[in-house]
Amino acid sequence: DQEDVDMKLGGTSFAKMGCGAAATHNAIILAGGSSSLANVVKFMQAHDLTLGFAGVYFTNIQLYLKRKGYSNKIYLTKLKNNIDEKIKGCKRNIAILAYKHSSGGHYVAIKYKKSDKKFHFYNGNGNKAEQSVDTWFKNNKTRSPLCLITI
């Protein structure tokens, strides 16, 4: 959870703007990889001019994943009613989701677990599991998807 991290990020703190780095780190861990949150932050700070003001760019998360050997696909359009199928259809059933909400934006890592047929959220949604990400958006009109990166 990004609120538990005492680290500077860009012009502010990790707790305020670290969700993109946290989601990237969490996705790699969920994929069974090795990740250092400090290394993710170092990369993001070296490659992203918006840190501390507007979070990180989607493309920098995608670039970091590629450099770490994780093939991925980015979706920036047509995210209404088909996020579930995109996560279920990717190699590891893991994704990083960026969404807009009433007071800004947020990134979360999501893993679909076939064992309980639920989508598990990390660093968001109270780390609760949901039956459907699509329904999660429909049930809260203050949220709307911005980007999905599947790995």
Side-chain angles (χ1 to χ4, degrees):
D1 221 0
Q2 78 188 65
E3 285 84 20
D4 298 335
V5 177
D6 182 21
M7 184 186 304
K8 186 168 172 52
L9 183 66
T12 188
S13 69
F14 190 87
K16 289 184 181 175
M17 290 296 204
C19 60
T24 304
H25 171 73
N26 289 340
I28 291 169
I29 297 296
L30 289 169
S34 174
S35 179
S36 160
L37 183 58
N39 286 341
V40 175
V41 169
K42 182 178 176 182
F43 177 88
M44 296 300 172
Q45 289 190 139
H47 291 84
D48 209 320
L49 299 174
T50 66
L51 280 173
F53 305 101
V56 299
Y57 288 122
F58 315 134
T59 53
N60 285 338
I61 291 174
Q62 185 183 35
L63 176 61
Y64 185 81
L65 292 170
K66 282 184 180 179
R67 288 192 178 177
K68 289 296 185 180
Y70 293 92
S71 60
N72 60 77
K73 186 167 184 180
I74 192 166
Y75 300 90
L76 297 169
T77 60
K78 299 181 182 175
L79 289 174
K80 297 283 185 187
N81 303 318
N82 63 3
I83 293 173
D84 292 355
E85 67 186 55
K86 287 179 180 2
I87 296 173
K88 287 180 182 178
C90 71
K91 181 178 180 179
R92 294 178 178 91
N93 302 124
I94 298 170
I96 296 171
L97 173 68
Y99 64 91
K100 184 175 73 165
H101 56 76
S102 58
S103 61
H106 192 57
Y107 283 99
V108 294
I110 300 174
K111 180 175 177 84
Y112 176 74
K113 293 185 180 178
K114 294 176 185 174
S115 59
D116 66 0
K117 296 182 179 164
K118 290 185 179 179
F119 295 87
H120 294 260
F121 287 68
Y122 299 88
N123 197 38
N125 196 38
N127 294 336
K128 295 180 198 170
E130 297 284 342
Q131 291 294 130
S132 165
V133 179
D134 296 324
T135 302
W136 181 73
F137 276 114
K138 285 178 192 171
N139 290 339
N140 191 324
K141 301 295 181 196
T142 65
R143 296 184 196 123
S144 60
L146 296 171
C147 174
L148 183 73
I149 302 170
T150 58
I151 64 170

